[in-house]
Amino acid sequence: IDNRHPNELIVKVRESGAAREHSGNLQVLVNGQVRAVSAINVRDGLWQDTLLLQVNGNGWQEINIVLQDHPLNFDDTFRIAARTMPQLSVLSIYEQSLSPYLRAAFQVQEGFRSTFERTSEMNKSRWPEYNLIILQNINTVTANMQNAVTEALERGQNILLFPGKEMQVEQFNQALKDWGSIYIERKDTARQTVTMMQQAHPLLQDLFDNVPDNVQLPVVTLRYLINAPLSSGQQLLMGFRDGKPFLAQYSIGRGKLYICASPLDDEATNFPVSYFFAPILYKMAVQSSNNSIYAVTSGSNAPLWLPAGSANKRNVWHMAAGGFDAIPPQRMAGNGTELFPGNVTSSAGFYNLYQSDVRDTITIALNADRAESVLSYAERGELTALAGENKVHWVDEKFVREKGWYAKETSFPIWKVCVLLAIASLLIETLLLLRKNKMQVREATVVH
């Protein structure tokens, strides 16, 4: 999460059982300090709101979302472990010359660390350090680059690709086939204007507060026609009238591959000087998953994937908190390890994952199973089916009468009986105190 700007935290509160209007309070605490408060009013069983959460400091943050809905005082806390970093790092790899727009976009923005490398000097061992990797005007994908991109996507990194003006389409398609079911048909040099923008996409949905009314979408004079089947999970951020993408997102592995249809060049498109260029790059870097948010459900069999990074593949991961230390089930998976912390303990809270020979630790949040909060009951027919051949006695009015457990209702409520008993006890206590005082007075008179 970003510690330079408020982060949007979408909270949903769902109430089970009969629909009723219900009020309460919601608090968001970061490392034990209250950072956001909201009054909730559940109607028709659901309440939803977006809170702005400002996080200070760097490193792992323990976030608690606490619901105060008396008298139901169980399962009221949802925990999130999130990591903030002092800087977001961007790596730009170029083949012939570096685009001045890339250099300007990140060097003037506070909180970004930019690194620029030629393809001939590319060192894929350093790629895990970066939040966003930009491949600028690439004409040829070498085997080293192809493997580096594949591994980065498996780690959950974000990659933005700009093709070169003299791209070798057939060779490029071989690399795209390895990354996903994507292929390029041909080059098109007809002048085209972007006509569609997916405003609901996370990269674009909050860019419109201050966008001028006369803002124009990018124009291209060189583009590559990109095709992708439904299985590729293509999401169009910007597109042309013919349905072809100008900027598209593909979810591959645990990461995201963004492909622009035009080179990053003045002769190909005016996208680098448009209103959207720099903000989109920033959000691609900020929204890089980079394995920085963890919220695990107790009892879940879903694995938690940790990138290899600086960890030692030969050593096991430990899960610890306070005096608790255990080894969760784990297995190698690609460039990392899959852990199953939900099966280790049912005690909700924050836990540290560590290896004995590695200094860095990872904080995860373990939450109670949400199913425990669903206050529903089984019907009589369902219980009968579960009992099978076992004989079941249903405790109804007839059964109670037969057992002699039935008592007629009285018009004298029980609370009145309790009040009379309390008054009688006070009277008896008062009489005893008066009698004791009289005896003490008599004794004093005799002594005198």
Side-chain angles (χ1 to χ4, degrees):
I1 57 178
D2 193 355
N3 61 354
R4 298 165 301 161
H5 307 287
N7 299 267
E8 288 189 353
L9 179 63
I10 300 175
V11 182
K12 294 182 180 179
V13 177
R14 187 179 300 277
E15 186 177 42
S16 62
R20 64 188 180 94
E21 188 170 345
H22 182 63
S23 300
N25 292 319
L26 186 79
Q27 290 186 343
V28 180
L29 297 88
V30 179
N31 299 326
Q33 297 182 351
V34 178
R35 294 296 176 85
V37 179
S38 178
I40 66 173
N41 188 7
V42 179
R43 294 181 180 179
D44 298 328
L46 180 65
W47 175 87
Q48 177 176 328
D49 196 8
T50 300
L51 307 178
L52 295 179
L53 178 62
Q54 179 67 56
V55 178
N56 299 325
N58 301 311
W60 288 102
Q61 313 291 323
E62 297 181 356
I63 302 173
N64 288 279
I65 303 173
V66 182
L67 177 65
Q68 298 174 349
D69 59 344
H70 183 78
L72 300 176
N73 56 1
F74 66 93
D75 193 15
D76 288 338
T77 302
F78 186 80
R79 300 166 181 85
I80 303 174
R83 180 174 57 184
T84 61
M85 293 173 286
Q87 283 187 325
L88 294 173
S89 52
V90 179
L91 172 63
S92 298
I93 296 177
Y94 58 98
E95 194 167 280
Q96 296 178 354
S97 60
L98 176 65
S99 169
Y101 301 107
L102 281 182
R103 185 183 297 275
F106 291 108
Q107 288 190 343
V108 299
Q109 180 71 15
E110 182 181 358
F112 281 90
R113 177 175 62 89
S114 301
T115 304
F116 307 100
E117 292 181 354
R118 287 185 175 273
T119 53
S120 58
E121 302 170 350
M122 189 186 75
N123 182 4
K124 71 174 186 177
S125 64
R126 296 179 54 190
W127 280 31
E129 304 173 9
Y130 297 96
N131 299 90
L132 175 64
I133 299 170
I134 301 176
L135 305 178
Q136 179 228 314
N137 295 358
I138 302 299
N139 290 308
T140 303
V141 179
T142 63
N144 186 34
M145 179 181 292
Q146 183 171 336
N147 293 333
V149 171
T150 301
E151 294 173 2
L153 292 172
E154 290 179 357
R155 283 192 297 267
Q157 292 182 276
N158 286 356
I159 295 180
L160 171 60
L161 171 63
F162 291 99
K165 291 188 292 185
E166 303 300 330
M167 184 182 67
Q168 301 178 18
V169 174
E170 292 185 4
Q171 191 270 345
F172 215 84
N173 281 335
Q174 290 297 321
L176 291 176
K177 186 177 179 180
D178 183 55
W179 301 336
S181 301
I182 313 164
Y183 66 96
I184 294 174
E185 294 180 0
R186 58 182 175 84
K187 181 192 297 185
D188 181 14
T189 56
R191 181 182 176 87
Q192 300 279 342
T193 301
V194 174
T195 58
M196 184 278 294
M197 182 164 55
Q198 183 56 262
Q199 300 183 19
H201 193 277
L203 288 179
L204 303 173
Q205 63 183 358
D206 59 352
L207 296 181
F208 299 94
D209 291 341
N210 300 311
V211 176
D213 295 334
N214 60 349
V215 65
Q216 294 183 354
L217 295 176
V219 178
V220 306
T221 54
L222 188 159
R223 64 166 178 158
Y224 291 94
L225 303 182
I226 302 173
N227 264 331
L230 293 176
S231 60
S232 66
Q234 175 179 275
Q235 296 185 39
L236 264 67
L237 279 72
M238 295 182 180
F240 299 100
R241 190 178 302 277
D242 58 6
K244 299 296 183 181
F246 171 71
L247 181 62
Q249 170 190 303
Y250 304 90
S251 296
I252 302 174
R254 295 175 176 84
K256 293 182 177 62
L257 173 64
Y258 299 95
I259 300 180
C260 183
S262 298
L264 193 61
D265 193 292
D266 288 332
E267 298 177 0
T269 177
N270 65 350
F271 180 49
V273 296
S274 70
Y275 174 87
F276 308 98
F277 181 68
I280 286 177
L281 294 183
Y282 300 154
K283 295 198 70 174
M284 284 182 181
V286 170
Q287 293 186 6
S288 173
S289 59
N290 212 22
N291 304 97
S292 59
I293 299 178
Y294 294 105
V296 183
T297 301
S298 176
S300 172
N301 291 322
L304 184 152
W305 188 81
L306 302 178
S310 59
N312 190 337
K313 292 185 178 181
R314 298 180 181 179
N315 290 344
V316 297
W317 285 93
H318 289 249
M319 178 176 170
F324 174 85
D325 195 321
I327 299 177
Q330 51 200 276
R331 65 190 179 195
M332 300 302 299
N335 283 336
T337 306
E338 285 186 344
L339 273 71
F340 299 84
N343 295 329
V344 176
T345 177
S346 59
S347 298
F350 292 96
Y351 294 84
N352 290 326
L353 301 177
Y354 74 94
Q355 289 184 325
S356 57
D357 62 342
V358 179
R359 180 181 301 177
D360 295 335
T361 62
I362 297 173
T363 301
I364 65 170
L366 186 64
N367 294 286
D369 190 350
R370 301 290 105 183
E372 297 179 6
S373 299
V374 180
L375 305 180
S376 61
Y377 58 90
E379 298 292 340
R380 182 166 177 167
E382 295 175 329
L383 294 176
T384 302
L386 290 173
E389 298 180 354
N390 297 318
K391 190 175 181 180
V392 179
H393 295 282
W394 295 102
V395 181
D396 52 15
E397 185 176 357
K398 180 180 178 181
F399 185 83
V400 171
R401 287 181 183 275
E402 292 176 353
K403 294 296 183 180
W405 298 345
Y406 183 79
K408 293 184 178 180
E409 295 183 0
T410 176
S411 59
F412 199 75
I414 189 67
W415 68 268
K416 292 184 178 180
V417 177
C418 295
V419 171
L420 292 176
L421 290 175
I423 294 175
S425 299
L426 291 173
L427 289 174
I428 294 172
E429 183 180 8
T430 302
L431 290 174
L432 292 175
L433 290 174
L434 290 174
R435 183 179 180 183
K436 182 178 180 181
N437 290 336
K438 288 181 180 181
M439 293 179 63
Q440 290 178 347
V441 171
R442 289 177 181 176
E443 291 177 357
T445 303
V446 172
V447 172
H448 179 72

